[in-house]
Amino acid sequence: MTSHGKTEWAERLIPNLDQAATADLISRLCDFAFVISSDGEIIQTMTSPFLAPRLDLSSWKGLRFQDTLTTESVPKFEARIAQFKEGQKELRAVELNHRPTHQQTELPVRYTFHLSAEDGSTLLLGSDLRPVAEMQQQLVEAQIALENDYDARREHEIRLKVLMESSDVATVFIALNTGVISSCNSAAEVLLGRSRKELMDAPFAAEFEDEGVTSLIDRMVTAASDVSITAVLANSARGGRSYRLNPTLFRGATSQMLLCKMEPEDSSLEPMDQLATHLVSFFHKGVDPIVFVNMSGQILSANEAFVSIANVTHAQTLSGRSMSDFFSRGSVDLNVILESARRNGKMRLYSTKILNEHGDERPVEISTTQIRTEREPICVLVMRNARRVEGISTPTNQMSEEEVNSVVELIGSQSLKDVVARSTDVVEKMCIETAIRMTSNNRVAAAEMLGLSRQSLYVKLRKYNLV
């Protein structure tokens, strides 16, 4: 009040208000307000008239404020009230959860602490966080729905891939607006004579002679739309073979697609096609692991048996990986196999161990054959489980009786050092003979297998008359 009896505003002050006006002001500035005593008892409660839905918290009067909180919120409140009573400045707001009651579920509130009165009571002003919690819950539910949709999509993609690969009919998917191949199966690779990497995103019409990019697609669309047309005939751009194309038109997620099943039109080619079909079926369903690699050792394709022994999720994850990742001796085994294939064209019964993704070993015998293709030679590795053979076989390179006797005769006549040196020579000779035999007399590979330089191996070969 001024000397003139009028109420005026002073800097950072407001006029004196009565108790009802103060309570009304506080209730309009925040959602919840609590006055608690020095020992934590709730003295007074106020809720905003704009709060929806309205809550009556008058029943909390006389309770300890901690008793209204959830278990995890109690230590947060006690730590913050202790900091406030110690006079700590710039005290941050704290988010607390009240226990559910018959009026509402769990109630999240952000509280700020305000100046205590003379009796030690404290004013807590709270903001309702239920709208924020509901929005967060909606975001979580949306994220879960997206993840479920993604999992369902992956499940459908896997089923489609399995279905495509299990089919013996050459099948391709073609984007109608561009005319390029978007997907194909292994039977289509065999029929068209090109790898999947070459076929993907390539114009489908380019695989056939005297066909424009649009004319063949237009004929296929017409055949798919007209029930009187059974198939479209087209000649291959490689060798002039004639194929019967059976198209099906459908709408994909963003554009129209063509599903095209292909088969040879000439019946005289049936035996060769039947053989190719049988070989593809044997590759995918055979019990022995089969792997195609280039001359650098990178995996081009592998069958399901090798996927199982390598313990990987899908054959496509193997493409481009080095075969040395799955050999117990790594690049040593790979170099021996590839070098023998380069020199002799093939290699029989090379014994080693296959490592799976978890580091477990399995003994195998590998037969390798080099195949000439249009671009570059490749190697076919056929593996057979050697665990049973390993269990019943006996070592082929045992020390001969003469070598054993020569070592025994030294005992008593020479020192232990000389006896051990002679024994080491016998074992060393046996190891070198085994490595030379395993690598088909490939001395570079044998030296790598034994961990020797090429010069050191030549010295030891002359030493033991193995040149």
Side-chain angles (χ1 to χ4, degrees):
M1 300 290 291
T2 66
S3 58
H4 302 288
K6 297 182 179 179
T7 302
E8 292 186 355
W9 295 85
E11 185 179 0
R12 302 181 64 183
L13 296 175
I14 62 174
N16 293 329
L17 300 176
D18 59 23
Q19 209 170 27
T22 302
D24 181 67
L25 177 63
I26 292 175
S27 66
R28 292 175 182 274
L29 289 175
C30 60
D31 295 321
F32 304 99
F34 293 93
V35 178
I36 61 174
S37 64
S38 58
D39 58 356
E41 181 182 339
I42 299 174
I43 301 173
Q44 187 175 356
T45 66
M46 289 172 283
T47 58
S48 172
F50 307 109
L51 195 65
R54 294 290 299 274
L55 292 178
D56 182 13
L57 302 181
S58 59
S59 60
W60 288 7
K61 200 171 182 179
L63 298 177
R64 293 179 70 252
F65 189 79
Q66 290 93 321
D67 295 338
T68 67
L69 300 176
T70 59
T71 304
E72 65 275 6
S73 294
V74 172
K76 292 167 60 178
F77 168 74
E78 292 177 346
R80 193 57 54 90
I81 193 67
Q83 294 172 356
F84 174 73
K85 290 182 177 181
E86 290 172 0
Q88 183 172 332
K89 296 181 178 180
E90 298 181 358
L91 198 64
R92 294 173 58 188
V94 62
E95 295 181 2
L96 304 174
N97 291 332
H98 290 281
R99 292 179 178 178
T101 65
H102 67 281
Q103 296 186 70
Q104 88 284 332
T105 57
E106 192 171 292
L107 179 62
V109 183
R110 180 186 289 114
Y111 283 108
T112 56
F113 295 76
H114 299 273
L115 214 54
S116 302
E118 294 180 357
D119 59 356
S121 61
T122 305
L123 175 63
L124 271 66
L125 301 182
S127 299
D128 188 5
L129 295 182
R130 284 179 296 176
V132 177
E134 291 175 2
M135 182 176 294
Q136 290 175 341
Q137 182 63 31
Q138 291 174 1
L139 291 174
V140 170
E141 292 174 354
Q143 180 65 27
I144 294 174
L146 286 174
E147 292 178 357
N148 291 337
D149 290 343
Y150 178 72
D151 291 340
R153 180 179 175 182
R154 280 184 54 85
E155 183 72 19
H156 283 99
E157 289 178 351
I158 292 173
R159 291 178 183 177
L160 176 61
K161 289 177 182 178
V162 172
L163 180 62
M164 290 274 286
E165 293 303 320
S166 63
S167 174
D168 296 333
V169 180
T171 307
V172 296
F173 285 94
I174 307 164
L176 188 59
N177 57 346
T178 60
V180 301
I181 299 173
S182 59
S183 181
C184 67
N185 63 356
S186 300
E189 294 182 78
V190 175
L191 192 68
L192 297 175
R194 299 181 65 188
S195 68
R196 187 169 309 185
K197 187 179 294 185
E198 295 172 321
L199 290 173
M200 293 292 289
D201 298 326
F204 179 72
E207 301 299 320
F208 303 92
E209 63 182 17
D210 301 329
E211 295 286 355
V213 175
T214 58
S215 61
L216 179 59
I217 300 299
D218 290 342
R219 289 169 54 196
M220 294 172 64
V221 171
T222 302
S225 306
D226 193 343
V227 294
S228 63
I229 304 176
T230 56
V232 175
L233 297 180
N235 295 325
S236 172
R238 297 172 180 80
R241 297 174 64 183
S242 181
Y243 295 104
R244 185 183 294 109
L245 310 180
N246 299 291
T248 302
L249 184 65
F250 67 97
R251 177 167 292 280
T254 57
S255 61
Q256 286 187 313
M257 302 283 293
L258 277 172
L259 168 66
C260 180
K261 297 181 179 180
M262 302 176 291
E263 57 183 356
E265 195 269 336
D266 190 352
S267 59
S268 63
L269 299 174
E270 185 176 350
M272 181 59 70
D273 294 332
Q274 190 175 14
L275 174 61
T277 301
H278 291 169
L279 289 175
V280 171
S281 180
F282 170 74
F283 173 76
H284 289 291
K285 300 179 181 178
V287 296
D288 291 331
I290 302 174
V291 183
F292 288 84
V293 300
N294 60 21
M295 298 312 293
S296 299
Q298 290 181 324
I299 298 175
L300 302 176
S301 58
N303 66 350
E304 193 63 30
F306 184 77
V307 171
S308 177
I309 195 176
N311 202 10
V312 295
T313 55
H314 198 274
Q316 291 183 347
T317 61
L318 295 170
S319 181
R321 292 186 61 177
S322 176
M323 192 63 200
S324 61
D325 296 344
F326 301 97
F327 285 137
S328 61
R329 291 188 289 264
S331 59
V332 175
D333 284 332
L334 180 62
N335 292 339
V336 171
I337 291 172
L338 296 180
E339 185 63 27
S340 297
R342 285 191 187 97
R343 295 178 57 192
N344 307 319
K346 57 186 177 181
M347 184 180 186
R348 296 183 60 191
L349 301 179
Y350 177 77
S351 298
T352 185
K353 292 182 179 179
I354 292 293
L355 287 174
N356 66 17
E357 290 289 81
H358 302 299
D360 298 327
E361 295 183 344
R362 179 175 296 187
V364 295
E365 290 180 343
I366 302 177
S367 297
T368 308
T369 304
Q370 188 183 51
I371 299 176
R372 298 286 178 179
T373 63
E374 294 180 0
R375 291 193 169 188
E376 61 177 357
I378 62 175
C379 283
V380 185
L381 279 60
V382 180
M383 308 174 193
R384 179 160 295 177
N385 189 354
R387 182 172 292 169
R388 182 166 172 258
V389 177
E390 186 183 66
I392 62 176
S393 62
T394 56
T396 56
N397 273 16
Q398 295 181 341
M399 295 176 62
S400 65
E401 185 177 353
E402 181 181 352
E403 291 172 330
V404 174
N405 291 335
S406 65
V407 174
V408 173
E409 289 173 357
L410 296 177
I411 300 175
S413 60
Q414 294 189 20
S415 66
L416 177 61
K417 182 178 179 181
D418 294 334
V419 175
V420 171
R422 180 59 185 274
S423 303
T424 302
D425 290 343
V426 172
V427 175
E428 191 174 60
K429 178 183 177 183
M430 181 181 66
C431 293
I432 293 173
E433 287 177 333
T434 301
I436 291 295
R437 189 189 74 258
M438 290 179 64
T439 58
S440 300
N441 203 27
N442 185 337
R443 298 180 183 179
V444 175
E448 188 173 357
M449 180 180 289
L450 295 169
L452 300 173
S453 65
R454 194 183 311 176
Q455 293 77 8
S456 298
L457 179 62
Y458 288 151
V459 170
K460 293 183 182 296
L461 289 173
R462 286 192 292 269
K463 175 182 177 180
Y464 300 121
N465 296 320
L466 299 176
V467 178

